[in-house]
Amino acid sequence: MASEPNPSGKSLGFLCRVSNKSQPSPQNQSDICAAAYYVAPIPGATPPVPALYRQLLPSDTTFTRLQCISLVS
């Protein structure tokens, strides 16, 4: 799971199942999460080297964004 922000704003996302125990907070409302993949340069690499990052949104965040129809920040 990457903590790097997505600088381009472009990503490929989908819904997936992740048990509550594997999510950052065990009080999440479901096992449905959102996963987003994006390409960004590795920080500090010279020359710039692209890397594939994954961002996993826990179920509480996923459901909040589904209400607003925005899975990717």
Side-chain angles (χ1 to χ4, degrees):
M1 181 168 31
S3 61
E4 296 295 323
N6 182 354
S8 71
K10 296 178 182 179
S11 63
L12 172 65
F14 54 91
L15 298 176
C16 58
R17 288 183 66 191
V18 177
S19 72
N20 285 348
K21 294 176 185 177
S22 298
Q23 295 182 43
S25 173
Q27 288 80 29
N28 286 302
Q29 58 183 309
S30 175
D31 61 353
I32 302 297
C33 296
Y37 288 84
Y38 60 94
V39 176
I42 296 174
T46 306
V49 177
L52 180 64
Y53 292 94
R54 178 183 70 198
Q55 181 180 25
L56 181 67
L57 300 176
S59 67
D60 285 348
T61 305
T62 299
F63 277 91
T64 299
R65 291 191 181 181
L66 279 173
Q67 291 173 347
C68 300
I69 314 298
S70 175
L71 289 176
V72 180
S73 57

